[in-house]
Amino acid sequence: MTTLWKDILQNVQLIQYVAPIAIDVALLEGVLMRTKDDPNASDVVNFAPFTLFPSPVPASLLEQAYSVQQDFNLLVDKVSQDTEFLECTLASILKVDDFTAQLFKIYKQVLDEGIAQSLVLGINRSDYMFDYGADGSPALKQVEINTIAASFGGLTSRTTTVHRHVLNVLGKSKEASKLLSNNPSKGIAMGIARAWELYGSDKAVVMFLVEEAQRNIFDQRCIENELWIRNIKVIRKSFKDVFEKASLDSEKKLYIDGEEVAVVYYREGYMPGSYNEQNWEARLLLEKSRAVKCPDIATQLVGTKKVQQELSRPGILERFLPSEPEAVARLRATFTGLYSLEMDEEGDKMVATAIADPDRFVLKPQREGGGNNLYGDELKQVLEKIKDSSERTSYILMDKIKVLPTLNYLLRAHCPLKVSECVSELGIFGVYIRQGQKFVMNKHAGHLLRTKAMEHADGGVAAGVAVLDTPYVI
Ligand code: GSH
């Protein structure tokens, strides 16, 4: 266990004094979410959950995470252009997972008709945990890469200000001054703005594709407002709006409410629950259009766990980056053990190993949004049930990352103040643009640290499990 704020953590009086101050600053700074009961109204809102103290992040690992992000951008983009690879890799999943199959069907249909979009805009977030091996030194290990709706880039920049204030109030101004400034929403907006510019129509708008229930609107507004500052008009629409009101002209330009759409930025559409028949039709219409989709459907498929697992096989990174051995080495260093559960000898062996030693692994289905992974007894029970059926191929196995817990207070509306044993996950945002075959932007755009109590195996902030945090670089 690392204990960074040892002198304060057990001082109940001081904690009770500083926690309400932290919450007020969070409200002042706009670390906000709408409520579960009223997700579409801003007249009663609450603070988004956050840690009372920043959490330790080893300097070398933060640096490593930043230095590999441009490689990940390039890799995701290359994989998204390799139809044969995607087809082969996802083949068994498509037979057993309706959601991935439906995405793939749209992907193929658009490919067959000819892709109208000539610009690619990628906004992703690569997430890591710190693995403490036998020698006690930490290593950066990738949990996953989110290629659609990578969120909290807005609220995270404001969380830094809250933590700075907390440390100042506690007389730790030297520590406060060490907190890095960080504004992913600015970098994300710059990517969208550049794609809008390259699309080349002054009157066209940027469309945020959002959920019917919009709890995380303030995080999205951070990006939206950066675009308005640049005089780029932003509209917010749901799949239902698109189904009812959008159309394509003869050049496949996308129109909604009489306005041409240059960029579609998805903050929705990554979970089966987002779709009914009409919404799938809306998605197809968007994908067929000339508008820059962020992400396009191929890039969304690159974010599946199956692709993540396949990329870790020997020789696969070299296939995509043949003349970049250093990038390959940087990428591979972040991979932990990833295993396929295909219906073959290798798959059989892994199923048996995981059933015998479930605590060594995480069982992951092809899902985004958090809260879907299986651990321990549950992992064992599920594998025992599906071990002889092709259903097992819709999952991958991953080595469980051996984390070092820290102590912190997780501040959440209507929850009692108590110290928790916690684990953190570091994400780095990546933004890139490709025009034809030329990369015109390839950047990292800041970080996101999220922390959750050890007892929760899985889940992010949107899923109600993790809370926002700030790295304290050690
Ligand atoms: N629709 C919401 C939004 O646009 O903010 C949530 C999107 C969402 O859950 N995104 C996932 C994520 O980044 C990736 S698919 N989650 C981070 C977290 O919840 O901690």
Side-chain angles (χ1 to χ4, degrees), residues 379-418:
L379 174 154
K380 189 174 163 184
Q381 278 161 22
V382 169
L383 275 186
E384 270 166 349
K385 207 171 103 202
I386 62 173
K387 67 182 186 334
D388 299 318
S389 115
S390 58
E391 199 189 331
R392 79 179 199 201
T393 63
S394 67
Y395 293 87
I396 64 152
L397 268 181
M398 188 170 138
D399 279 340
K400 198 147 106 186
I401 298 168
K402 294 177 282 306
V403 295
L404 194 65
T406 54
L407 289 179
N408 212 325
Y409 287 81
L410 308 181
L411 304 180
R412 200 186 289 285
H414 316 298
C415 287
L417 196 57
K418 72 170 178 40

Side-chain angles (χ1 to χ4, degrees), residues 174-186:
K174 205 168 113 231
E175 287 85 346
S177 68
K178 268 185 70 178
L179 299 184
L180 307 168
S181 34
N182 174 40
N183 194 349
S185 52
K186 214 174 185 126

Side-chain angles (χ1 to χ4, degrees), residues 33 125 127 144-153 209-211 213-220 236 265-271 367-370 425 429 448 450 459-468:
M33 266 180 133
R125 198 189 62 239
D127 291 336
E144 63 175 349
I145 186 156
N146 295 284
T147 59
I148 181 166
S151 51
F152 293 104
L209 203 288
V210 295
E211 293 152 299
Q214 300 174 40
R215 266 198 89 186
N216 202 20
I217 193 165
F218 300 108
D219 184 57
Q220 298 166 358
R236 300 173 58 87
Y265 173 49
Y266 288 105
R267 294 291 297 243
E268 152 77 322
Y270 46 87
M271 289 200 287
R367 289 288 172 275
E368 293 296 329
E425 188 168 328
F429 287 94
L448 168 71
R450 291 168 299 156
V461 181
V465 174
V467 309
L468 299 166

Side-chain angles (χ1 to χ4, degrees), residues 33-61:
M33 266 180 133
R34 283 177 173 169
T35 63
K36 232 189 225 144
D37 294 339
D38 222 344
N40 286 326
S42 292
D43 44 1
V44 178
V45 295
N46 222 319
F47 62 94
F50 65 99
T51 57
L52 183 54
F53 298 105
S55 294
V57 170
S60 59
L61 302 196

Side-chain angles (χ1 to χ4, degrees), residues 286-466:
L286 297 176
E287 293 305 317
K288 281 182 175 181
S289 78
R290 179 177 288 267
V292 183
K293 272 78 63 186
C294 179
D296 58 25
I297 203 150
T299 306
Q300 181 174 353
L301 288 167
V302 179
T304 53
K305 309 295 178 288
K306 187 63 195 173
V307 168
Q308 182 188 6
Q309 173 257 304
E310 200 57 28
L311 289 173
S312 75
R313 276 190 195 280
I316 303 291
L317 287 180
E318 284 81 356
R319 164 181 175 162
F320 290 107
L321 303 165
S323 53
E324 297 184 62
E326 284 163 11
V328 166
R330 280 192 296 268
L331 289 160
R332 192 164 281 142
T334 68
F335 293 169
T336 183
L338 290 145
Y339 315 95
S340 136
L341 297 181
E342 293 290 327
M343 303 304 286
D344 55 17
E345 211 178 305
E346 194 186 323
D348 290 346
K349 206 175 105 207
M350 278 324 297
V351 169
T353 312
I355 288 176
D357 194 0
D359 289 331
R360 235 188 81 193
F361 302 99
V362 185
L363 185 63
K364 295 186 158 191
Q366 312 303 311
R367 289 288 172 275
E368 293 296 329
N372 304 297
N373 299 338
L374 301 166
Y375 300 82
D377 279 348
E378 212 182 341
L379 174 154
K380 189 174 163 184
Q381 278 161 22
V382 169
L383 275 186
E384 270 166 349
K385 207 171 103 202
I386 62 173
K387 67 182 186 334
D388 299 318
S389 115
S390 58
E391 199 189 331
R392 79 179 199 201
T393 63
S394 67
Y395 293 87
I396 64 152
L397 268 181
M398 188 170 138
D399 279 340
K400 198 147 106 186
I401 298 168
K402 294 177 282 306
V403 295
L404 194 65
T406 54
L407 289 179
N408 212 325
Y409 287 81
L410 308 181
L411 304 180
R412 200 186 289 285
H414 316 298
C415 287
L417 196 57
K418 72 170 178 40
V419 71
S420 303
E421 247 186 58
C422 301
V423 48
S424 300
E425 188 168 328
L426 172 71
I428 306 290
F429 287 94
V431 183
Y432 62 87
I433 297 177
R434 177 168 51 79
Q435 191 171 30
Q437 274 317 305
K438 199 166 148 241
F439 245 51
V440 293
M441 183 186 280
N442 184 7
K443 292 182 170 199
H444 47 66
H447 53 264
L448 168 71
L449 191 73
R450 291 168 299 156
T451 292
K452 62 190 163 204
M454 277 300 273
E455 65 256 30
H456 294 293
D458 180 31
V461 181
V465 174

